[in-house]
Amino acid sequence: MKVCPACGSRFENTETFCPHDGARLNEARDHAPGQRIGETLGGYELDRLLFADAVGERYEGKRTSDGALVRVTVFTGDAAPDPSRAAALESTRALLGDDLPASIGKLLDYDVDVSPAYVVELAAPGESLADASSRVGGVRWELALRSACSCARALEWLHRAGVAHRALNPHAIVRSPEGEVVVFEWAHGVLMNQRNVMELATLGEHVAYPAYIAPELTRPSRKPTEKTAVFALGMIAYEAITGRDLASGDSAETILKRHRRERPLALSLAAPDAELPDGFDEVFNLVVERSPKRRFQALNAMINALSGLLGEDPTKAFSELAVEARDRGVDDASKDTEQMDMSVLDEDKPQRKPKADSTTPRPKKKRRRKRTDASADAAKVVVDESLTEPQGAAVSGSSETSDAEDSAEDSTKEQPERRLRLSLIHISEPTRQAEI
């Protein structure tokens, strides 16, 4: 039995989409989404259903002790965390500390030993990127890129603290009317199954948000990095601009295999009415590139490039977050603001040697004498150790000898070269006679 998360209608397992509103059907639970409204779960009253997906239901509510506004995730049966992951979450909380940046959702409480398991975060006013996109059929590209840049700064802070966001999705990115962005559900990824996503998909087990998983994470023993976060944010921005659900109608296994084979259609073609600026596809393709070698190698590099499309200073909006990162002893998140060296996108390309300093004297290069074909052939016959300089000083395979070696070479090379030249003359003469 399946149920529509939008209207609550139930259907047989053969159905995939709701015929009433087109929403993708979820597996039926003991109750329809939203039926927990009014209930109290662990000291938190559930007031309003925000949305429901394959991971669980998100409710807006309040803490009964003081009325603080909260965001509660109630996990479904398939996505329910293993109670043994509670220790990992506690270690992560201790690593991050209590003073999280304002752009990262604060974890208040959780309980994975009860049914249903739940996670509570401090709520923030505003609308999620997913709701904004579905409401207007695709947001402006400027809003999508600004949200991606703000979210990238938050993810960069987490990565530098040693934490990867494994459950990133557009519902977890909330933007306030003033433009402030908050990233929620970082704790969900810590609690969820840590096995390889392709292995889980092949076995038909639960995989959270496959549309935003980088292709390299489908391979064994691959862990999330900043490059995988770049891909996830790119796909989220792509979905927000086009207004289309990238996971609609396909299984997790199909989506993950597609990511490994092909790159998404260029946004200028997928969203022809988006009024994208010149050069947009060239930059954005480096965000959603399936090869990690050709993708932006760091979140900061992506921020710089997208800020260039927006015509904005990449550090202006994130100075507060950079200060907080510095206060925690983390490297300054905004110190590397120069544009990314594009050569790092392809590790197979040979790297250019840096230019020598103009104040440093250049090593002298040995001038080599041109030879005729006959002389060259003769030289192969007559040149032996008696015609070379001591210790191989006159014949060298490198053009970068030191000044001292060049001085020694100048004082001794004249006579051996004369001997070699005379030898060539004597040997080449019989050669010419033989040819005649």
Side-chain angles (χ1 to χ4, degrees):
M1 184 68 67
K2 294 183 177 181
V3 62
C4 174
C7 66
S9 302
R10 291 176 174 257
F11 304 90
E12 296 298 329
N13 288 330
T14 55
E15 301 291 339
T16 303
F17 299 96
C18 177
H20 305 301
D21 48 39
R24 187 179 180 86
L25 302 178
N26 297 329
E27 292 295 330
R29 311 179 183 92
D30 295 335
H31 64 281
Q35 288 190 356
R36 294 190 182 276
I37 293 176
E39 294 183 6
T40 299
L41 194 63
Y44 303 93
E45 185 177 341
L46 309 181
D47 297 332
R48 181 172 68 93
L49 178 68
L50 298 175
F51 70 97
D53 59 14
V55 171
E57 303 170 17
R58 280 34 161 232
Y59 289 90
E60 182 185 86
K62 57 180 176 290
R63 188 162 48 189
T64 55
S65 60
D66 57 5
L69 193 65
V70 295
R71 173 188 173 107
V72 182
T73 299
V74 181
F75 293 96
T76 62
D78 293 339
D82 189 328
S84 64
R85 297 297 304 170
L89 182 55
E90 284 300 317
S91 299
T92 304
R93 292 182 74 180
L95 181 66
L96 296 179
D98 295 329
D99 297 328
L100 296 179
S103 58
I104 300 175
K106 184 177 181 180
L107 178 64
L108 295 179
D109 196 5
Y110 70 95
D111 195 341
V112 294
D113 292 322
V114 299
S115 181
Y118 64 89
V119 169
V120 183
E121 297 170 283
L122 186 65
E127 184 179 34
S128 73
L129 193 59
D131 290 340
S133 178
S134 61
R135 176 172 52 81
V136 298
V139 301
R140 291 280 301 172
W141 67 269
E142 296 94 338
L143 187 148
L145 262 56
R146 289 192 185 100
S147 299
C149 288
S150 298
C151 187
R153 279 298 184 213
L155 296 183
E156 185 180 44
W157 190 92
L158 287 173
H159 272 275
R160 295 189 178 191
V163 179
H165 197 314
R166 294 173 176 263
L168 195 62
N169 67 90
H171 285 286
I173 301 173
V174 176
R175 187 179 181 90
S176 71
E178 294 77 21
E180 300 295 330
V181 170
V182 181
V183 182
F184 291 97
E185 303 188 4
W186 59 266
H188 295 34
V190 180
L191 291 173
M192 288 179 183
N193 200 323
Q194 303 294 301
R195 290 164 55 192
N196 178 263
V197 291
M198 182 56 78
E199 178 187 1
L200 294 173
T202 304
L203 296 175
E205 297 184 27
H206 174 73
V207 176
Y209 313 115
Y212 319 117
I213 295 177
E216 60 267 31
L217 290 180
T218 63
R219 304 187 184 281
S221 304
R222 294 297 180 94
K223 296 181 179 180
T225 64
E226 286 197 32
K227 288 183 284 187
T228 62
V230 166
F231 182 88
L233 287 176
M235 297 303 290
I236 289 173
Y238 188 101
E239 186 176 83
I241 295 172
T242 60
R244 294 195 294 269
D245 182 3
L246 298 179
S248 178
D250 292 326
S251 65
E253 183 178 8
T254 301
I255 296 170
L256 295 173
K257 287 182 177 179
R258 184 167 63 236
H259 284 180
R260 291 169 59 169
R261 294 194 305 265
E262 59 192 36
R263 187 174 62 196
L265 183 67
L267 260 174
S268 59
L269 300 176
D273 299 329
E275 301 179 357
L276 302 176
D278 294 337
F280 184 95
D281 286 339
E282 183 179 2
V283 173
F284 196 79
N285 285 346
L286 297 176
V287 179
V288 296
E289 171 62 53
R290 65 186 180 89
S291 170
K293 292 182 180 180
R294 294 174 174 83
R295 196 183 309 144
F296 285 121
Q297 304 293 287
L299 289 162
N300 192 57
M302 184 198 77
I303 293 169
N304 289 336
L306 298 187
S307 297
L309 291 175
L310 292 166
E312 299 175 354
D313 181 1
T315 63
K316 182 177 181 180
F318 315 112
S319 58
E320 180 182 353
L321 183 59
V323 170
E324 291 175 354
R326 228 179 10 250
D327 291 343
R328 284 183 50 80
V330 184
D331 292 338
D332 186 358
S334 62
K335 66 181 179 181
D336 184 18
T337 58
E338 63 270 13
Q339 292 297 326
M340 177 186 180
D341 181 4
M342 303 305 289
S343 63
V344 302
L345 301 180
D346 193 347
E347 297 174 359
D348 298 330
K349 291 183 179 179
Q351 302 296 318
R352 293 182 178 179
K353 293 183 178 180
K355 294 183 179 179
D357 190 352
S358 58
T359 60
T360 304
R362 295 183 178 180
K364 296 180 180 179
K365 293 185 179 180
K366 187 174 68 176
R367 184 174 296 174
R368 304 181 67 177
R369 185 182 299 277
K370 294 184 179 179
R371 299 172 178 170
T372 62
D373 294 341
S375 298
D377 293 337
K380 294 179 181 178
V381 179
V382 302
V383 174
D384 57 18
E385 293 181 0
S386 65
L387 300 180
T388 60
E389 291 189 350
Q391 302 174 356
V395 181
S396 174
S398 173
S399 62
E400 298 183 1
T401 57
S402 65
D403 292 341
E405 290 173 341
D406 286 338
S407 300
E409 181 182 342
D410 292 337
S411 63
T412 57
K413 70 179 179 181
E414 181 177 356
Q415 189 164 351
E417 285 184 355
R418 184 179 179 185
R419 293 171 58 192
L420 176 61
R421 187 163 55 253
L422 292 174
S423 299
L424 293 175
I425 293 174
H426 288 298
I427 291 181
S428 60
E429 183 67 27
T431 303
R432 285 197 296 270
Q433 292 178 1
E435 291 176 352
I436 294 174

